Amino acid sequence: MGDEKNSYQVKFVVDSTFGMPGAITVSNRYDEEFYLDSINIEGLVHFACNSWVQPDQKSNAAKRIFFSTKAYLPNETPAGLKELREMELIQLRGDGTGLRLQSDRIYDYDSYNDIGNPDKGIEYMRPTLGGNVHPHPRRCRTGRPPTKTDENMESPVSEFETIYVPRDEEFEQPKQEALDVGKLKGTVRNITHALSTITEDRNVKGYSDINGLYTDSSSLQSKTQPGTQILNKVHEFLKFDPPKLNSREIYCLPDDQFGRQTIAGINPLSIERLEVFPPVSKLDTSIHGPQESALKEEHIIGQLNGMSIQQALEDNKLFILDYHDIFLPFLNKINALDDRKAYATRTIFFLTSLGTLKPIAIELSLSDSASKQVLTPPIDATTSWLWQLGKAHVCSNDAGVHQLVHHWLRTHACIEPIIIATRRQLSVMHPIYKLLKPHLRYTLKVNAMARKDLINAGGTIESNFTPARYCMEFSCAAYRDWWRFDLEGLPADLIRRGIAVPDTSQVHGLKLLIQDYPYATDGLLIWSAIETLVQTYVNYYYPNASLVTSDTELQSWYNEFINLGHADLRDASWWPKLSTPEDLISILTTIIWLTSAQHAALNFGQYPYGGYVPTRPPHMRRLIPKNDDPEYASFIRDPQQYFISSLPSLFEATKYMAVIDIISAHSPDEEYIGERKDLSNWSADTEISEAFYRFSVEMRRIEKEIERRNGDLSLRNRSGAGVSPYELLMPSSEPGVTCRGVPNSITV
């Protein structure tokens, strides 16, 4: 959509007994599509169209139908609009057949049978995501022809083509332009660093090579010849900005920062309270063999400030990052790959009197149950380097779970069926459609681009993260064994992980066992604000349960979300019911939370927290040497070089940094939580208009409260000497990589 806008005046002759217009049909007799912003019948009614209208001669489609902004439940629809309301939904559903054209606006479901490309070779074959073998949420159907090699796999689009999404799901011009600039700069950076690596014919020799990837203002201010200054400026332009939250003077991740990032970093969703020691695996022993933990009392007893282990457990002082069960089934396949070496890790943390988490033991497991080792805080130079290597392996596990489970699966993939069901089953006249609309923006397009370039065979995700070609199978395993929609809301998730316990005397109905947990404390402010808004909204349109159960569109929407969108889990007993206003409030609050604050907390800090690869490597290339390993002598001789050679190569690092830099950025047309452009929909509904106004005011209050917390020196996980403030849940932001800002929807 360009900047040019035109307004037209049209005169209608209407019978005086016609009544208030509720819908209007539009035809396009131009040769090209046009974007219809709105139609105003002066003094009477407003139609917010916001849609592309295709030429009549090209589309063979029925006339476009646009409705006035007034919301109606299905059984309240004026008689003259009922047929048009259903006709519009039928057009959007299609018939599930045929190739989708870029001009179409049809929403349907399909499995992820398009991430592989068997025609390109056996190394590009990937399984279909969705079904009994690899359960996964469904995607928007495109109808492309099958590959030549496998008729069950959909052929990929070419490099210069785009994957179909319904026309109104495409990016607007400012968003596309910002993305194109980022991609161009990332491509040039990759080429520059690749050529540098080739021409200099060398491996990474030290941290200076890594630090050379980042801009350095001092080099621009040095006294050099004018020509040299220009070259320096060009060279510096192609470098990366230093990550905001990592000092390049810190080559390995310090223990305090390691602990802090589990609750105030890019992945604050994995930390759990340790309930039993040693931790117990839930893996099937008939498949994976006995999985007794190697952690013993002697490994941690000296780190508990005089407490016994049982006392520490009872006093809620022990916490764990447990990646044992999710990684172990994949380890043999991962470690058989070139340039990939991984463990299934467990890390035990002790909650100090200052409210910070101190790592006290790391367990590293391989598939052979006898190949387990435990690292504890260092006592000399050798154990110090082993401890650093152990933390690096934990971070690579953490990076994989963050990206493949919490980020891709729990937000992007699991929200796509909600969007499809909303477009197919809820009329634009429906009040729930109107509530959700800002939270659906751009997500189908983002996910389609991910299938083309990120999660596809040989794409960015496989190239960078530990499971490599098994990345999407890794996500499927988490979906099958762990994901539950009823536990996706923030309070339920905190309770599931043992980080909080129900407590009706507390403001949010629960008590945090780590009181200074920035993600949780800030998140609960936003969760409560969303819940309050949704309560007011739902109770306005559904004052009693019978209106919920009799709403045919609403019930079809929810049933389709479960039975088609999440078909592989449709028989699970944990799906919430939709019978009362309270049920609907809970479901909608969860959806809005996931699309806004949850995704923001997981996405917009990726470069600021992960852009310095030594402190958060996305994968590792070497295991930790033992005394009897051939590599142990080289490790003892030069432990720093061994550490560096365990990290991704310089070329791998630059490719990874280029991508996370792009996806950590806000575009200029971002719409943030608390902002709505469609408030005219409720101009006659004062109670709803006031509820949205209060929500907007509450977002501004939350922003000030987060600023206050970040300045409170008693909160050691978000303030103090060298401690970066936690701002990922700050509602607003400027464009670019800011490490803050909560958009309404999943826009990147």
Side-chain angles (χ1 to χ4, degrees):
M1 182 167 55
D3 296 328
E4 182 181 352
K5 288 187 178 181
N6 296 301
S7 298
Y8 299 90
Q9 289 187 344
V10 180
K11 291 186 177 181
F12 293 93
V13 178
V14 181
D15 190 283
S16 60
T17 62
F18 182 82
M20 181 67 71
I24 192 166
T25 59
V26 176
S27 297
N28 177 5
R29 296 179 181 175
Y30 290 105
D31 293 330
E32 303 293 335
E33 66 178 6
F34 65 79
Y35 185 83
L36 184 59
D37 181 82
S38 61
I39 299 173
N40 288 286
I41 299 179
E42 189 172 355
L44 287 176
V45 63
H46 177 77
F47 297 82
C49 305
N50 300 312
S51 183
W52 292 93
V53 180
Q54 302 301 318
D56 292 350
Q57 68 270 27
K58 289 185 179 181
S59 61
N60 297 319
K63 291 182 179 180
R64 289 296 308 278
I65 306 166
F66 295 100
F67 297 95
S68 67
T69 56
K70 183 172 175 57
Y72 294 101
L73 294 176
N75 61 359
E76 298 172 344
T77 309
L81 300 181
K82 287 184 177 179
E83 184 177 348
L84 291 175
R85 181 172 183 150
E86 180 57 30
M87 187 185 303
E88 168 75 355
L89 289 174
I90 290 172
Q91 291 177 11
L92 291 167
R93 292 174 195 147
D95 61 6
T97 64
L99 173 67
R100 295 286 174 257
L101 305 176
Q102 296 300 325
S103 57
D104 288 344
R105 47 192 297 271
I106 296 173
Y107 298 79
D108 201 1
Y109 299 91
D110 206 347
S111 57
Y112 283 67
N113 62 347
D114 63 341
I115 64 170
N117 186 3
D119 293 347
K120 196 174 177 181
I122 190 171
E123 66 271 26
Y124 290 94
M125 294 178 66
R126 298 292 183 273
T128 294
L129 310 184
N132 292 332
V133 179
H134 299 292
H136 192 274
R138 299 304 192 258
R139 64 171 174 90
C140 187
R141 182 183 176 276
T142 63
R144 296 195 304 276
T147 62
K148 297 175 183 177
T149 309
D150 185 346
E151 65 179 10
N152 295 316
M153 303 301 292
E154 190 171 273
S155 57
V157 297
S158 70
E159 182 180 355
F160 302 104
E161 292 179 304
T162 58
I163 293 181
Y164 166 80
V165 293
R167 184 64 182 94
D168 290 336
E169 306 290 343
E170 290 283 353
F171 290 157
E172 295 178 18
Q173 186 172 324
K175 172 74 172 179
Q176 188 62 55
E177 288 176 350
L179 182 64
D180 290 343
V181 169
K183 289 171 68 174
L184 177 61
K185 190 171 183 179
T187 300
V188 174
R189 281 168 166 169
N190 288 339
I191 293 172
T192 302
H193 293 300
L195 290 174
S196 174
T197 301
I198 293 170
T199 55
E200 295 180 26
D201 189 26
R202 59 179 175 83
N203 293 316
V204 181
K205 294 180 179 179
Y207 287 106
S208 60
D209 291 345
I210 298 172
N211 290 343
L213 299 173
Y214 304 94
T215 56
D216 183 356
S217 59
S218 63
S219 66
L220 299 180
Q221 298 170 357
S222 59
K223 295 180 180 180
T224 57
Q225 295 298 318
T228 305
Q229 283 186 341
I230 293 173
L231 290 174
N232 283 344
K233 288 181 179 180
V234 171
H235 188 56
E236 287 296 308
F237 174 76
L238 295 176
K239 291 184 177 183
F240 293 89
D241 293 329
K244 179 181 179 182
L245 303 180
N246 275 307
S247 170
R248 286 174 291 157
E249 302 302 319
I250 302 174
Y251 302 135
C252 299
L253 189 64
D255 283 3
D256 62 334
Q257 191 171 333
F258 182 44
R260 188 164 57 249
Q261 289 204 8
T262 66
I263 52 177
I266 192 57
N267 179 20
L269 274 69
S270 289
I271 191 72
E272 301 175 273
R273 179 168 57 88
L274 184 63
E275 297 183 359
V276 295
F277 184 88
V280 178
S281 171
K282 296 179 182 178
L283 292 175
D284 187 339
T285 56
S286 67
I287 298 174
H288 303 287
Q291 293 298 325
E292 293 183 7
S293 174
L295 286 160
K296 306 297 181 186
E297 180 178 1
E298 59 263 27
H299 292 130
I300 68 169
I301 192 66
Q303 303 287 335
L304 304 183
N305 289 359
M307 303 173 73
S308 68
I309 292 177
Q310 187 58 36
Q311 184 182 359
L313 290 171
E314 292 174 357
D315 289 354
N316 303 316
K317 293 294 186 181
L318 292 176
F319 295 83
I320 185 171
L321 281 183
D322 193 344
Y323 295 133
H324 178 275
D325 286 5
I326 194 167
F327 268 97
L328 193 126
F330 291 90
L331 282 186
N332 280 341
K333 293 189 288 189
I334 292 171
N335 288 330
L337 299 171
D338 293 334
D339 272 359
R340 284 291 197 283
K341 290 293 179 283
Y343 297 98
T345 67
R346 289 185 175 115
T347 308
I348 308 295
F349 295 88
F350 179 74
L351 182 63
T352 72
S353 60
L354 296 176
T356 59
L357 290 177
K358 179 177 70 172
I360 59 175
I362 296 172
E363 181 187 57
L364 305 161
S365 299
L366 296 173
S367 296
D368 177 3
S369 59
S371 299
K372 296 177 183 289
Q373 57 180 308
V374 175
L375 302 175
T376 54
I379 57 174
D380 58 21
T382 299
T383 54
S384 178
W385 278 106
L386 291 173
W387 183 245
Q388 297 300 339
L389 282 165
K391 287 188 291 184
H393 275 280
V394 173
C395 287
S396 70
N397 272 193
D398 188 72
V401 171
H402 161 260
Q403 197 66 261
L404 303 174
V405 179
H406 300 315
H407 185 202
W408 165 255
L409 175 65
R410 295 178 68 184
T411 60
H412 287 263
C414 287
I415 286 299
E416 182 150 347
I418 276 284
I419 298 171
I420 300 171
T422 301
R423 303 295 196 193
R424 285 167 50 91
Q425 297 298 339
L426 295 182
S427 166
V428 295
M429 306 172 74
H430 200 289
I432 301 306
Y433 178 95
K434 293 180 182 293
L435 174 68
L436 289 178
K437 185 181 178 183
H439 305 289
L440 315 180
R441 185 177 186 235
Y442 288 161
T443 306
L444 290 191
K445 177 64 174 180
V446 168
N447 286 3
M449 293 173 64
R451 298 202 312 275
K452 181 174 183 284
D453 296 317
L454 297 181
I455 67 170
N456 60 307
T460 298
I461 296 298
E462 289 190 359
S463 299
N464 288 291
F465 292 96
T466 297
R469 63 177 295 145
Y470 307 107
C471 277
M472 288 299 100
E473 294 179 44
F474 189 93
S475 294
C476 290
Y479 180 65
R480 177 194 64 218
D481 299 334
W482 186 80
W483 185 83
R484 289 178 50 165
F485 181 73
D486 63 324
L487 299 180
E488 285 298 278
L490 178 59
D493 178 62
L494 294 170
I495 292 170
R496 165 173 58 179
R497 292 188 282 123
I499 300 294
V501 293
D503 186 341
T504 55
S505 69
Q506 300 292 315
V507 176
H508 304 291
L510 52 78
K511 177 183 177 182
L512 288 171
L513 300 183
I514 302 176
Q515 293 186 8
D516 181 16
Y517 184 177
Y519 160 77
T521 54
D522 294 357
L524 285 168
L525 295 177
I526 295 178
W527 170 271
S528 294
I530 294 171
E531 186 176 48
T532 299
L533 171 66
V534 173
Q535 283 174 340
T536 301
Y537 193 92
V538 168
N539 289 331
Y540 180 82
Y541 288 103
Y542 298 92
N544 59 68
S546 65
L547 290 173
V548 173
T549 56
S550 65
D551 187 334
T552 54
E553 287 185 9
L554 185 71
Q555 294 298 328
S556 295
W557 165 76
Y558 190 56
N559 288 333
E560 184 172 289
F561 164 60
I562 296 171
N563 292 302
L564 296 183
H566 289 275
D568 303 325
L569 299 180
R570 62 184 170 219
D571 295 326
S573 61
W574 43 254
W575 284 102
K577 304 297 183 184
L578 180 51
S579 302
T580 67
E582 290 72 26
D583 295 339
L584 182 56
I585 290 165
S586 176
I587 290 166
L588 293 173
T589 302
T590 298
I591 292 169
I592 294 172
W593 162 259
L594 291 172
T595 60
S596 59
Q598 180 81 300
H599 178 260
L602 292 165
N603 185 78
F604 294 104
Q606 290 193 74
Y607 184 79
Y609 283 98
Y612 189 61
V613 170
T615 57
R616 189 173 173 80
H619 69 265
M620 296 290 281
R621 296 191 294 162
R622 302 178 81 171
L623 295 174
I624 298 174
K626 295 183 178 179
N627 290 351
D628 54 353
D629 290 340
E631 294 182 321
Y632 192 77
S634 63
F635 162 71
I636 292 295
R637 185 168 53 252
D638 192 347
Q640 177 174 296
Q641 184 55 41
Y642 190 95
F643 183 90
I644 291 174
S645 66
S646 300
L647 303 174
S649 70
L650 207 60
F651 183 52
E652 289 173 327
T654 57
K655 288 196 298 180
Y656 173 68
M657 289 156 55
V659 171
I660 62 172
D661 185 42
I662 293 170
I663 63 178
S664 297
H666 292 289
S667 61
D669 67 339
E670 202 84 273
E671 296 174 6
Y672 295 96
I673 192 167
E675 299 176 356
R676 290 192 73 117
K677 295 183 176 180
D678 58 355
L679 289 178
S680 61
N681 287 344
W682 298 279
S683 56
D685 300 311
T686 305
E687 185 174 345
I688 300 300
S689 297
E690 290 179 351
F692 282 120
Y693 174 75
R694 290 194 299 272
F695 183 69
S696 179
V697 170
E698 180 64 6
M699 288 303 109
R700 293 195 290 272
R701 187 196 71 79
I702 288 172
E703 191 154 303
K704 291 180 180 178
E705 172 61 16
I706 293 173
E707 288 178 355
R708 185 198 67 76
R709 292 174 176 179
N710 285 335
D712 185 345
L713 293 178
S714 69
L715 301 176
R716 304 299 179 94
N717 293 314
R718 62 194 312 155
S719 63
V723 176
S724 299
Y726 185 76
E727 297 182 317
L728 283 171
L729 290 175
M730 281 281 200
S732 70
S733 175
E734 297 296 320
V737 180
T738 62
C739 202
R740 59 176 286 167
V742 179
N744 279 318
S745 62
I746 300 168
T747 59
V748 65

